[in-house]
Amino acid sequence: ARYRVDKNGGGTLSVGNDTGNSSVTYTVTDPDKSITVTAVPAEGHVFVKWSDGVTSKTRTDTGFKQNLDVTAVFAAASVHISEGKASAGSYVFKAALEGKYAKRENLHWFANGQEVKEAAGQTTVTVSASAITSGSYKIYAVVVYNDCAVVSNALTITVSPEPASVSYTHLRAHET
């Protein structure tokens, strides 16, 4: 049984505590033996599939009747977010996706570690300033494909409370 990483790289193989391999080979003498191998994507990559069509990144093979030679296929994926201030004090966050498997429908947004469910699948998110209380927010996005997550850069926005508007009326007594 031979497991290897595609020549384009993008990840490693893990078997139990043995990690970081580009190839692992086993001589199987007992056909009932089972072998479990996990394809581990490198940062900025997702696991796509095994060369025999298996799409689970962890596979357990058993019942060996013939040689098995499979390759783990990975693909680069990235998400980069930027922020701008729109008119009327709203915040606009944009996600730039790169890679065949970095799809909009797999995009998730987070604020301070909590998923913002209503923003899922949107590459442009507008948040009204009135919906944000004062404080600091760490905003980031994650693309998930085949149980693999690629995390964007993080933006920190700090919202200050609006200063209370104060108006002064000057009265001056006129002396005559």
Side-chain angles (χ1 to χ4, degrees), residues 5 16 53 57 78 97 111 144 162:
V5 172
K57 64 184 178 179
S78 72
L97 300 168
V144 178
E162 291 295 318

Side-chain angles (χ1 to χ4, degrees), residues 73-90:
V73 179
F74 299 95
S78 72
V79 55
H80 181 83
I81 60 170
S82 58
E83 176 245 337
K85 203 157 182 150
S87 61
S90 55

Side-chain angles (χ1 to χ4, degrees), residues 137-162:
Y137 296 88
K138 182 178 176 184
I139 310 294
Y140 60 96
V142 177
V143 170
V144 178
Y145 181 82
N146 211 358
D147 272 346
C148 304
V150 176
V151 181
S152 75
N153 55 309
L155 298 176
T156 300
I157 61 166
T158 302
V159 180
S160 303
E162 291 295 318

Side-chain angles (χ1 to χ4, degrees), residues 74-153:
F74 299 95
S78 72
V79 55
H80 181 83
I81 60 170
S82 58
E83 176 245 337
K85 203 157 182 150
S87 61
S90 55
Y91 293 89
V92 178
F93 300 99
K94 292 182 183 288
L97 300 168
E98 284 187 36
K100 181 178 178 182
Y101 298 95
K103 296 181 179 174
R104 195 177 101 170
E105 59 265 26
N106 300 330
L107 182 63
H108 302 271
W109 289 87
F110 291 82
N112 289 344
Q114 298 294 312
E115 183 171 1
V116 182
K117 300 240 185 241
E118 56 273 19
Q122 298 179 41
T123 54
T124 301
V125 177
T126 303
V127 181
S128 131
S130 62
I132 303 175
T133 55
S134 62
S136 189
Y137 296 88
K138 182 178 176 184
I139 310 294
Y140 60 96
V142 177
V143 170
V144 178
Y145 181 82
N146 211 358
D147 272 346
C148 304
V150 176
V151 181
S152 75
N153 55 309

Side-chain angles (χ1 to χ4, degrees), residues 170-176:
H170 295 284
L171 298 174
R172 186 177 295 165
H174 293 285
E175 291 180 21
T176 51

Side-chain angles (χ1 to χ4, degrees), residues 16-30:
N17 292 331
D18 187 13
T19 61
N21 300 297
S22 60
S23 176
V24 288
T25 304
Y26 295 95
T27 302
V28 180
T29 53
D30 177 359

